[in-house]
């Protein structure tokens, strides 16, 4: 996980408009911008990464950004970019459509095509960038779904928004592996939201959405020894039956998934030389195991070696 912060707080008012243009160019690979003829501008961005998903919190005075056709030809990496206001509003224009979104709504657009985003009042936005290829390779026809309004009334799009916001809050305390898993969950929720917007949403889509929420919750609470089917159902406001149905296609069910994720987290820790000074007990407790005899037994059953032997072998391989 990487973090970057950019701010105009320390820039003289007379220099801020030029700073803004340079800032946007550096962070978002070349956008034209203006500030509605204002003489002053202030803004701040904090960027986090969840695998290959980029999440940015933008706080800024009113402004507009656009990418022209000539700018698009110079683009190297294609993203689908989501704008989700916390405060203020945004107008997204692409493919001859314009969608205005306010808090609890979001819109998405394709950075490999021309677009414009208007922010006519001071804003606080969550901006999420998903590699375009990750959705295209799933067979999704993207063009008709750009510059449309999502969220607000509930459904999968609302869950996607909650997932993105929760991810941004929790990412600073996550390991890179956990952050990458959260990035996968965001991608899945965006995909499900696009399917729903395209009219392809079904009961299967809703079940997949719940499964992704469960997986995200497990990732965020892996170190909690009390993590269980009942605690997840309570946290997600659903029944045990709904949880079991959501995991019907998973070979080991919810409890098996939790155990597998915990064992994998311990295994990665044993492989990481930065943890060499930590005891096996400390690592196991850190990932939610409260009974060391049980931990040793299930670790050996899944990986073929007791934890101590596995760790010794991993150390020998590292030299």
């Amino acid at each position: 996980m990487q973090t970057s912060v950019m701010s105009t707080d320390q820039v003289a008012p007379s220099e801020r408009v030029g700073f803004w243009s340079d800032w946007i160019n550096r962070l978002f690979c070349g956008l034209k911008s203006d500030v509605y003829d204002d003489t002053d501008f202030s803004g701040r961005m904090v960027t986090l990464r969840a695998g290959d998903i980029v999440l940015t919190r933008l706080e800024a005075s009113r402004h507009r950004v656009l990418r022209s056709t000539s700018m698009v030809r110079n683009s190297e990496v294609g993203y689908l970019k989501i704008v989700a206001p916390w405060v203020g509003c945004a107008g997204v224009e692409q493919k001859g459509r314009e969608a205005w979104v306010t808090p609890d709504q979001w819109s998405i657009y394709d950075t490999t095509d021309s677009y414009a985003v208007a922010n006519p009042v001071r804003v606080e936005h969550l901006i999420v960038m998903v590699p375009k290829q990750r959705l295209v390779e799933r067979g999704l026809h993207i063009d008709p779904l750009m510059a449309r309004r999502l969220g607000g009334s509930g459904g999968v799009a609302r869950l996607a928004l909650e997932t993105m916001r929760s991810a941004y809050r929790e990412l600073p305390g996550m390991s890179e592996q956990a952050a990458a898993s959260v990035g996968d969950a965001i991608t899945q929720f965006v995909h499900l939201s696009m399917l729903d917007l395209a009219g392809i949403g079904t009961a299967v889509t809703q079940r997949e959405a719940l499964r992704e929420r469960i997986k995200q919750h497990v990732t965020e609470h892996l170190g909690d020894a009390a993590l269980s089917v009942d605690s997840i159902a309570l946290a997600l406001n659903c029944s045990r039956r709904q949880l079991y149905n959501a995991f019907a296609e998973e070979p080991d069910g919810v409890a098996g998934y939790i155990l597998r994720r915990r064992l994998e987290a311990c295994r990665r820790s044993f492989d990481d030389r930065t943890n060499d000074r930590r005891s096996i007990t400390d690592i196991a407790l850190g990932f939610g195991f409260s009974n060391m005899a049980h931990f040793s037994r299930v670790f050996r059953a899944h990986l073929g070696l007791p934890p101590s032997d596995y760790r010794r072998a991993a150390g020998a391989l590292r030299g």
Side-chain angles (χ1 to χ4, degrees), residues 68-120:
S68 65
T69 303
S70 61
M71 291 175 176
V72 169
R73 286 198 295 267
N74 296 323
S75 177
E76 296 181 356
V77 180
Y79 285 96
L80 298 184
K81 190 180 292 186
I82 292 164
V83 178
W86 271 299
V87 176
C89 61
V92 177
E93 185 176 352
Q94 190 170 61
K95 299 293 183 183
R97 291 184 295 273
E98 186 177 35
W100 283 90
V101 289
T102 56
D104 297 328
Q105 300 173 337
W106 54 282
S107 189
I108 188 168
Y109 56 96
D110 182 357
T111 65
T112 66
D113 200 351
S114 58
Y115 64 84
V117 180
N119 300 280

Side-chain angles (χ1 to χ4, degrees), residues 228-235 240 243:
S228 65
V229 171
D230 288 333
S231 70
I232 297 172
L234 181 62
R240 289 170 59 94
L243 259 65

Side-chain angles (χ1 to χ4, degrees), residues 153-160 196 206:
S153 61
V156 176
R158 176 69 182 185
L159 295 178
D196 200 48
Q206 297 291 334

Side-chain angles (χ1 to χ4, degrees), residues 15 46 50 77 219 288:
E15 300 174 351
V46 179
V77 180
T219 296

Side-chain angles (χ1 to χ4, degrees), residues 10 28 58 71 77 87 100 105 121 156 166 172 174 181 193 217 228-229 237 245 253 268 276 285:
Q10 304 302 317
F28 290 119
L58 166 66
M71 291 175 176
V77 180
V87 176
W100 283 90
Q105 300 173 337
V121 297
V156 176
S166 175
M174 287 187 187
S181 296
S193 299
H217 185 84
S228 65
V229 171
N237 193 29
N245 286 341
R268 287 196 302 265
D276 283 351
L285 292 175

